[in-house]
PDB file of all heavy atoms in Angstrom:
ATOM      1  N   THR S  72      -0.603  20.971  -7.622  1.00 89.00           N
ATOM      2  CA  THR S  72      -0.384  20.751  -6.183  1.00 89.00           C
ATOM      3  C   THR S  72      -1.523  19.916  -5.697  1.00 89.00           C
ATOM      4  O   THR S  72      -2.430  19.808  -6.321  1.00 89.00           O
ATOM      5  CB  THR S  72      -0.333  22.192  -5.496  1.00 89.00           C
ATOM      6  OG1 THR S  72      -1.592  22.768  -5.599  1.00 89.00           O
ATOM      7  CG2 THR S  72       0.610  23.102  -5.875  1.00 89.00           C
ATOM      8  N   GLN S  77      -7.341  18.429  -5.473  1.00 84.00           N
ATOM      9  CA  GLN S  77      -8.470  18.069  -4.674  1.00 84.00           C
ATOM     10  C   GLN S  77      -9.572  19.122  -5.049  1.00 84.00           C
ATOM     11  O   GLN S  77     -10.776  18.708  -5.143  1.00 84.00           O
ATOM     12  CB  GLN S  77      -8.212  18.234  -3.235  1.00 84.00           C
ATOM     13  CG  GLN S  77      -7.480  17.000  -2.678  1.00 84.00           C
ATOM     14  CD  GLN S  77      -7.187  17.084  -1.352  1.00 84.00           C
ATOM     15  OE1 GLN S  77      -6.905  18.127  -0.705  1.00 84.00           O
ATOM     16  NE2 GLN S  77      -7.434  15.965  -0.569  1.00 84.00           N
ATOM     17  N   MET S  80     -10.348  17.942 -10.099  1.00 86.00           N
ATOM     18  CA  MET S  80      -9.434  16.671 -10.421  1.00 86.00           C
ATOM     19  C   MET S  80      -9.194  16.516 -11.838  1.00 86.00           C
ATOM     20  O   MET S  80      -8.282  15.830 -12.280  1.00 86.00           O
ATOM     21  CB  MET S  80     -10.146  15.536  -9.915  1.00 86.00           C
ATOM     22  CG  MET S  80     -10.163  15.404  -8.349  1.00 86.00           C
ATOM     23  SD  MET S  80     -10.812  13.881  -7.792  1.00 86.00           S
ATOM     24  CE  MET S  80     -10.441  13.962  -5.987  1.00 86.00           C
ATOM     25  N   ARG S  97      13.506  12.787  -4.545  1.00 90.00           N
ATOM     26  CA  ARG S  97      14.349  12.779  -3.361  1.00 90.00           C
ATOM     27  C   ARG S  97      13.574  11.887  -2.279  1.00 90.00           C
ATOM     28  O   ARG S  97      14.312  11.111  -1.692  1.00 90.00           O
ATOM     29  CB  ARG S  97      14.455  14.297  -2.937  1.00 90.00           C
ATOM     30  CG  ARG S  97      15.412  14.534  -1.672  1.00 90.00           C
ATOM     31  CD  ARG S  97      15.573  15.824  -1.354  1.00 90.00           C
ATOM     32  NE  ARG S  97      14.336  16.404  -0.759  1.00 90.00           N
ATOM     33  CZ  ARG S  97      13.563  17.291  -1.298  1.00 90.00           C
ATOM     34  NH1 ARG S  97      13.916  17.912  -2.534  1.00 90.00           N
ATOM     35  NH2 ARG S  97      12.561  17.689  -0.713  1.00 90.00           N
ATOM     36  N   PHE S 114      20.540  -8.198 -15.400  1.00 96.00           N
ATOM     37  CA  PHE S 114      21.299  -9.473 -15.158  1.00 96.00           C
ATOM     38  C   PHE S 114      20.271 -10.597 -15.022  1.00 96.00           C
ATOM     39  O   PHE S 114      20.549 -11.726 -15.452  1.00 96.00           O
ATOM     40  CB  PHE S 114      22.083  -9.335 -13.966  1.00 96.00           C
ATOM     41  CG  PHE S 114      23.373  -8.425 -14.259  1.00 96.00           C
ATOM     42  CD1 PHE S 114      23.513  -7.230 -13.816  1.00 96.00           C
ATOM     43  CD2 PHE S 114      24.347  -9.000 -14.990  1.00 96.00           C
ATOM     44  CE1 PHE S 114      24.511  -6.441 -14.096  1.00 96.00           C
ATOM     45  CE2 PHE S 114      25.516  -8.299 -15.326  1.00 96.00           C
ATOM     46  CZ  PHE S 114      25.688  -7.024 -14.836  1.00 96.00           C
ATOM     47  N   HIS S 187      24.529 -12.838   5.788  1.00 85.00           N
ATOM     48  CA  HIS S 187      23.388 -12.855   4.875  1.00 85.00           C
ATOM     49  C   HIS S 187      23.993 -13.132   3.358  1.00 85.00           C
ATOM     50  O   HIS S 187      24.838 -12.447   2.918  1.00 85.00           O
ATOM     51  CB  HIS S 187      22.661 -11.519   4.725  1.00 85.00           C
ATOM     52  CG  HIS S 187      21.913 -11.234   5.855  1.00 85.00           C
ATOM     53  ND1 HIS S 187      20.882 -11.917   6.448  1.00 85.00           N
ATOM     54  CD2 HIS S 187      22.016 -10.146   6.855  1.00 85.00           C
ATOM     55  CE1 HIS S 187      20.411 -11.396   7.446  1.00 85.00           C
ATOM     56  NE2 HIS S 187      21.120 -10.372   7.812  1.00 85.00           N
ATOM     57  N   LYS S 193      21.843  -8.650  -3.113  1.00 95.00           N
ATOM     58  CA  LYS S 193      21.476  -8.528  -4.557  1.00 95.00           C
ATOM     59  C   LYS S 193      21.546 -10.111  -5.089  1.00 95.00           C
ATOM     60  O   LYS S 193      20.846 -10.305  -6.043  1.00 95.00           O
ATOM     61  CB  LYS S 193      22.361  -7.661  -5.252  1.00 95.00           C
ATOM     62  CG  LYS S 193      22.071  -6.349  -5.169  1.00 95.00           C
ATOM     63  CD  LYS S 193      22.917  -5.329  -5.984  1.00 95.00           C
ATOM     64  CE  LYS S 193      22.486  -3.892  -5.644  1.00 95.00           C
ATOM     65  NZ  LYS S 193      23.319  -2.981  -6.333  1.00 95.00           N
ATOM     66  N   ASN S 269       9.932  -7.257  -2.168  1.00 92.00           N
ATOM     67  CA  ASN S 269       9.268  -6.804  -1.022  1.00 92.00           C
ATOM     68  C   ASN S 269       9.802  -7.702   0.119  1.00 92.00           C
ATOM     69  O   ASN S 269      10.092  -7.285   1.194  1.00 92.00           O
ATOM     70  CB  ASN S 269       7.853  -6.526  -1.056  1.00 92.00           C
ATOM     71  CG  ASN S 269       7.359  -6.027   0.201  1.00 92.00           C
ATOM     72  OD1 ASN S 269       7.943  -5.209   0.894  1.00 92.00           O
ATOM     73  ND2 ASN S 269       6.096  -6.483   0.739  1.00 92.00           N
ATOM     74  N   VAL S 272      14.282  -8.219   0.582  1.00 93.00           N
ATOM     75  CA  VAL S 272      15.187  -7.228   1.082  1.00 93.00           C
ATOM     76  C   VAL S 272      14.568  -6.336   2.050  1.00 93.00           C
ATOM     77  O   VAL S 272      13.286  -6.205   2.016  1.00 93.00           O
ATOM     78  CB  VAL S 272      15.884  -6.471  -0.090  1.00 93.00           C
ATOM     79  CG1 VAL S 272      16.491  -7.266  -1.116  1.00 93.00           C
ATOM     80  CG2 VAL S 272      14.744  -5.543  -0.721  1.00 93.00           C
ATOM     81  N   LYS S 274      16.838  -3.623   3.123  1.00 90.00           N
ATOM     82  CA  LYS S 274      17.569  -2.384   2.997  1.00 90.00           C
ATOM     83  C   LYS S 274      17.200  -1.481   1.883  1.00 90.00           C
ATOM     84  O   LYS S 274      16.950  -2.063   0.793  1.00 90.00           O
ATOM     85  CB  LYS S 274      19.125  -2.666   2.874  1.00 90.00           C
ATOM     86  CG  LYS S 274      19.742  -3.469   4.178  1.00 90.00           C
ATOM     87  CD  LYS S 274      21.132  -3.756   3.701  1.00 90.00           C
ATOM     88  CE  LYS S 274      21.746  -4.539   4.746  1.00 90.00           C
ATOM     89  NZ  LYS S 274      22.848  -5.371   4.224  1.00 90.00           N
ATOM     90  N   LEU S 275      17.086  -0.260   2.181  1.00 89.00           N
ATOM     91  CA  LEU S 275      16.756   0.625   1.036  1.00 89.00           C
ATOM     92  C   LEU S 275      17.742   0.491  -0.189  1.00 89.00           C
ATOM     93  O   LEU S 275      17.425   0.663  -1.264  1.00 89.00           O
ATOM     94  CB  LEU S 275      16.855   2.064   1.577  1.00 89.00           C
ATOM     95  CG  LEU S 275      16.625   3.184   0.562  1.00 89.00           C
ATOM     96  CD1 LEU S 275      15.314   3.259   0.050  1.00 89.00           C
ATOM     97  CD2 LEU S 275      17.129   4.545   1.082  1.00 89.00           C
ATOM     98  N   LYS S 286       5.509   3.445  -1.934  1.00 85.00           N
ATOM     99  CA  LYS S 286       5.477   4.197  -0.678  1.00 85.00           C
ATOM    100  C   LYS S 286       4.617   5.469  -0.743  1.00 85.00           C
ATOM    101  O   LYS S 286       4.249   6.074   0.276  1.00 85.00           O
ATOM    102  CB  LYS S 286       6.936   4.663  -0.310  1.00 85.00           C
ATOM    103  CG  LYS S 286       7.769   3.611   0.432  1.00 85.00           C
ATOM    104  CD  LYS S 286       9.112   4.109   0.682  1.00 85.00           C
ATOM    105  CE  LYS S 286      10.033   2.955   1.112  1.00 85.00           C
ATOM    106  NZ  LYS S 286      11.342   3.465   1.143  1.00 85.00           N
ATOM    107  N   PHE S 287       4.259   5.800  -1.921  1.00 84.00           N
ATOM    108  CA  PHE S 287       3.548   7.045  -2.192  1.00 84.00           C
ATOM    109  C   PHE S 287       2.035   6.804  -2.087  1.00 84.00           C
ATOM    110  O   PHE S 287       1.228   7.730  -2.356  1.00 84.00           O
ATOM    111  CB  PHE S 287       3.750   7.681  -3.539  1.00 84.00           C
ATOM    112  CG  PHE S 287       5.165   8.312  -3.483  1.00 84.00           C
ATOM    113  CD1 PHE S 287       6.276   7.627  -3.677  1.00 84.00           C
ATOM    114  CD2 PHE S 287       5.306   9.765  -3.161  1.00 84.00           C
ATOM    115  CE1 PHE S 287       7.536   8.271  -3.630  1.00 84.00           C
ATOM    116  CE2 PHE S 287       6.450  10.305  -3.195  1.00 84.00           C
ATOM    117  CZ  PHE S 287       7.711   9.628  -3.353  1.00 84.00           C
ATOM    118  N   SER S 288       1.507   5.509  -1.861  1.00 76.00           N
ATOM    119  CA  SER S 288       0.117   5.252  -1.819  1.00 76.00           C
ATOM    120  C   SER S 288      -0.408   5.256  -0.529  1.00 76.00           C
ATOM    121  O   SER S 288      -0.282   4.359   0.314  1.00 76.00           O
ATOM    122  CB  SER S 288      -0.092   3.849  -2.484  1.00 76.00           C
ATOM    123  OG  SER S 288       0.556   2.835  -1.681  1.00 76.00           O
ATOM    124  N   GLY S 289      -0.907   6.474  -0.056  1.00 69.00           N
ATOM    125  CA  GLY S 289      -1.439   6.628   1.223  1.00 69.00           C
ATOM    126  C   GLY S 289      -2.822   5.898   1.327  1.00 69.00           C
ATOM    127  O   GLY S 289      -3.591   5.828   0.329  1.00 69.00           O
ATOM    128  N   THR S 290      -3.218   5.552   2.548  1.00 65.00           N
ATOM    129  CA  THR S 290      -4.498   4.925   2.692  1.00 65.00           C
ATOM    130  C   THR S 290      -5.654   5.919   2.943  1.00 65.00           C
ATOM    131  O   THR S 290      -6.654   5.955   2.202  1.00 65.00           O
ATOM    132  CB  THR S 290      -4.501   3.975   4.014  1.00 65.00           C
ATOM    133  OG1 THR S 290      -3.237   3.288   4.177  1.00 65.00           O
ATOM    134  CG2 THR S 290      -5.504   2.926   4.078  1.00 65.00           C
TER     135      THR S 290
ATOM    136  N   VAL C  45      29.458  -8.001 -12.492  1.00 59.00           N
ATOM    137  CA  VAL C  45      28.411  -8.656 -11.812  1.00 59.00           C
ATOM    138  C   VAL C  45      28.843  -8.911 -10.264  1.00 59.00           C
ATOM    139  O   VAL C  45      28.082  -8.643  -9.447  1.00 59.00           O
ATOM    140  CB  VAL C  45      28.167 -10.002 -12.494  1.00 59.00           C
ATOM    141  CG1 VAL C  45      27.079 -10.840 -11.672  1.00 59.00           C
ATOM    142  CG2 VAL C  45      27.622  -9.888 -13.906  1.00 59.00           C
ATOM    143  N   GLY C  48      28.644  -5.726  -8.403  1.00 56.00           N
ATOM    144  CA  GLY C  48      27.305  -5.330  -8.190  1.00 56.00           C
ATOM    145  C   GLY C  48      26.657  -6.133  -7.305  1.00 56.00           C
ATOM    146  O   GLY C  48      25.769  -5.615  -6.357  1.00 56.00           O
ATOM    147  N   THR C  54      26.643  -9.476   1.004  1.00 39.00           N
ATOM    148  CA  THR C  54      26.895 -10.264   2.197  1.00 39.00           C
ATOM    149  C   THR C  54      27.744  -9.490   3.232  1.00 39.00           C
ATOM    150  O   THR C  54      28.564  -8.668   2.915  1.00 39.00           O
ATOM    151  CB  THR C  54      27.627 -11.519   1.932  1.00 39.00           C
ATOM    152  OG1 THR C  54      28.804 -11.171   1.187  1.00 39.00           O
ATOM    153  CG2 THR C  54      26.831 -12.416   1.132  1.00 39.00           C
ATOM    154  N   GLU C  56      27.165  -7.179   5.164  1.00 38.00           N
ATOM    155  CA  GLU C  56      26.918  -5.670   5.270  1.00 38.00           C
ATOM    156  C   GLU C  56      26.318  -5.370   6.659  1.00 38.00           C
ATOM    157  O   GLU C  56      25.441  -6.002   7.125  1.00 38.00           O
ATOM    158  CB  GLU C  56      25.964  -5.169   4.180  1.00 38.00           C
ATOM    159  CG  GLU C  56      25.925  -3.688   4.055  1.00 38.00           C
ATOM    160  CD  GLU C  56      24.920  -3.294   3.101  1.00 38.00           C
ATOM    161  OE1 GLU C  56      24.023  -4.092   2.631  1.00 38.00           O
ATOM    162  OE2 GLU C  56      24.945  -2.099   2.515  1.00 38.00           O
ATOM    163  N   GLU C  60      20.579   1.712   7.939  1.00 47.00           N
ATOM    164  CA  GLU C  60      19.867   2.393   6.743  1.00 47.00           C
ATOM    165  C   GLU C  60      19.115   3.687   7.135  1.00 47.00           C
ATOM    166  O   GLU C  60      18.465   3.702   8.171  1.00 47.00           O
ATOM    167  CB  GLU C  60      18.767   1.415   6.334  1.00 47.00           C
ATOM    168  CG  GLU C  60      19.240   0.340   5.498  1.00 47.00           C
ATOM    169  CD  GLU C  60      19.496   0.705   4.144  1.00 47.00           C
ATOM    170  OE1 GLU C  60      18.913   1.787   3.627  1.00 47.00           O
ATOM    171  OE2 GLU C  60      20.399   0.141   3.426  1.00 47.00           O
ATOM    172  N   ASP C  83       4.510   6.093   5.117  1.00 81.00           N
ATOM    173  CA  ASP C  83       3.849   6.541   3.923  1.00 81.00           C
ATOM    174  C   ASP C  83       4.539   7.750   3.377  1.00 81.00           C
ATOM    175  O   ASP C  83       4.427   8.871   4.097  1.00 81.00           O
ATOM    176  CB  ASP C  83       2.376   6.690   4.286  1.00 81.00           C
ATOM    177  CG  ASP C  83       1.504   7.215   3.299  1.00 81.00           C
ATOM    178  OD1 ASP C  83       2.049   7.515   2.224  1.00 81.00           O
ATOM    179  OD2 ASP C  83       0.244   7.520   3.527  1.00 81.00           O
ATOM    180  N   ALA C  84       5.039   7.722   2.220  1.00 82.00           N
ATOM    181  CA  ALA C  84       5.906   8.837   1.739  1.00 82.00           C
ATOM    182  C   ALA C  84       4.942  10.025   1.412  1.00 82.00           C
ATOM    183  O   ALA C  84       5.367  11.260   1.230  1.00 82.00           O
ATOM    184  CB  ALA C  84       6.529   8.466   0.487  1.00 82.00           C
ATOM    185  N   THR C  85       3.528   9.936   1.351  1.00 76.00           N
ATOM    186  CA  THR C  85       2.711  11.122   1.112  1.00 76.00           C
ATOM    187  C   THR C  85       2.104  11.524   2.490  1.00 76.00           C
ATOM    188  O   THR C  85       1.301  12.477   2.429  1.00 76.00           O
ATOM    189  CB  THR C  85       1.514  10.516   0.139  1.00 76.00           C
ATOM    190  OG1 THR C  85       0.723   9.647   0.944  1.00 76.00           O
ATOM    191  CG2 THR C  85       1.986  10.046  -1.100  1.00 76.00           C
ATOM    192  N   TYR C  89       6.690  13.775   6.009  1.00 78.00           N
ATOM    193  CA  TYR C  89       7.399  12.571   5.714  1.00 78.00           C
ATOM    194  C   TYR C  89       8.901  12.721   5.950  1.00 78.00           C
ATOM    195  O   TYR C  89       9.607  12.001   6.640  1.00 78.00           O
ATOM    196  CB  TYR C  89       7.050  11.853   4.443  1.00 78.00           C
ATOM    197  CG  TYR C  89       7.844  10.689   4.119  1.00 78.00           C
ATOM    198  CD1 TYR C  89       7.685   9.471   4.691  1.00 78.00           C
ATOM    199  CD2 TYR C  89       8.898  10.784   3.071  1.00 78.00           C
ATOM    200  CE1 TYR C  89       8.473   8.350   4.292  1.00 78.00           C
ATOM    201  CE2 TYR C  89       9.756   9.731   2.801  1.00 78.00           C
ATOM    202  CZ  TYR C  89       9.427   8.600   3.427  1.00 78.00           C
ATOM    203  OH  TYR C  89      10.251   7.526   3.080  1.00 78.00           O
ATOM    204  N   GLU C  90       9.361  13.675   5.172  1.00 75.00           N
ATOM    205  CA  GLU C  90      10.881  13.956   5.153  1.00 75.00           C
ATOM    206  C   GLU C  90      11.400  14.263   6.465  1.00 75.00           C
ATOM    207  O   GLU C  90      12.486  13.909   6.887  1.00 75.00           O
ATOM    208  CB  GLU C  90      11.119  15.078   4.129  1.00 75.00           C
ATOM    209  CG  GLU C  90      11.092  14.668   2.631  1.00 75.00           C
ATOM    210  CD  GLU C  90      11.618  15.714   1.775  1.00 75.00           C
ATOM    211  OE1 GLU C  90      10.721  16.636   1.477  1.00 75.00           O
ATOM    212  OE2 GLU C  90      12.689  15.671   1.277  1.00 75.00           O
ATOM    213  N   ASN C 115       1.220   0.278   3.527  1.00 83.00           N
ATOM    214  CA  ASN C 115       0.065  -0.486   3.115  1.00 83.00           C
ATOM    215  C   ASN C 115       0.312  -2.038   3.026  1.00 83.00           C
ATOM    216  O   ASN C 115       0.849  -2.651   3.838  1.00 83.00           O
ATOM    217  CB  ASN C 115      -0.306   0.065   1.756  1.00 83.00           C
ATOM    218  CG  ASN C 115      -1.269   1.244   1.698  1.00 83.00           C
ATOM    219  OD1 ASN C 115      -1.877   1.485   2.854  1.00 83.00           O
ATOM    220  ND2 ASN C 115      -1.401   1.974   0.757  1.00 83.00           N
ATOM    221  N   ALA C 117       2.425  -3.731   1.407  1.00 88.00           N
ATOM    222  CA  ALA C 117       3.894  -4.174   1.461  1.00 88.00           C
ATOM    223  C   ALA C 117       4.289  -4.327   2.904  1.00 88.00           C
ATOM    224  O   ALA C 117       4.918  -5.274   3.142  1.00 88.00           O
ATOM    225  CB  ALA C 117       4.808  -3.064   0.788  1.00 88.00           C
ATOM    226  N   LYS C 121       5.102  -8.049   4.442  1.00 92.00           N
ATOM    227  CA  LYS C 121       6.347  -8.407   5.031  1.00 92.00           C
ATOM    228  C   LYS C 121       6.226  -8.915   6.423  1.00 92.00           C
ATOM    229  O   LYS C 121       6.901  -9.823   6.909  1.00 92.00           O
ATOM    230  CB  LYS C 121       7.249  -7.100   4.946  1.00 92.00           C
ATOM    231  CG  LYS C 121       8.671  -7.264   5.183  1.00 92.00           C
ATOM    232  CD  LYS C 121       9.380  -8.160   4.228  1.00 92.00           C
ATOM    233  CE  LYS C 121      10.816  -8.354   4.371  1.00 92.00           C
ATOM    234  NZ  LYS C 121      11.616  -7.343   3.952  1.00 92.00           N
ATOM    235  N   GLY C 300     -11.442  10.195  -2.614  1.00 84.00           N
ATOM    236  CA  GLY C 300     -10.610  11.470  -2.812  1.00 84.00           C
ATOM    237  C   GLY C 300     -11.370  12.524  -3.324  1.00 84.00           C
ATOM    238  O   GLY C 300     -10.800  13.744  -3.301  1.00 84.00           O
ATOM    239  N   GLY C 304     -12.701  18.193  -2.026  1.00 92.00           N
ATOM    240  CA  GLY C 304     -12.771  19.328  -2.937  1.00 92.00           C
ATOM    241  C   GLY C 304     -14.100  19.873  -3.090  1.00 92.00           C
ATOM    242  O   GLY C 304     -14.442  20.983  -3.111  1.00 92.00           O
ATOM    243  N   GLN C 332      -0.070  25.875   0.518  1.00 85.00           N
ATOM    244  CA  GLN C 332      -1.473  26.044   0.062  1.00 85.00           C
ATOM    245  C   GLN C 332      -2.357  25.316   1.048  1.00 85.00           C
ATOM    246  O   GLN C 332      -1.985  24.336   1.653  1.00 85.00           O
ATOM    247  CB  GLN C 332      -1.685  25.544  -1.228  1.00 85.00           C
ATOM    248  CG  GLN C 332      -1.096  26.356  -2.480  1.00 85.00           C
ATOM    249  CD  GLN C 332      -1.353  25.675  -3.811  1.00 85.00           C
ATOM    250  OE1 GLN C 332      -1.287  24.545  -3.932  1.00 85.00           O
ATOM    251  NE2 GLN C 332      -1.727  26.544  -4.716  1.00 85.00           N
TER     252      GLN C 332
END
Side-chain angles (χ1 to χ4, degrees):
Chain S
T72 61
Q77 285 182 316
M80 291 187 169
R97 192 179 64 248
F114 286 105
H187 291 298
K193 283 185 178 173
N269 182 39
V272 302
K274 290 176 193 160
L275 172 74
K286 277 185 194 164
F287 286 83
S288 62
T290 321
Chain C
V45 178
T54 54
E56 188 184 21
E60 280 286 337
D83 171 0
T85 66
Y89 170 77
E90 283 188 281
N115 274 344
K121 193 63 178 279
Q332 290 182 315

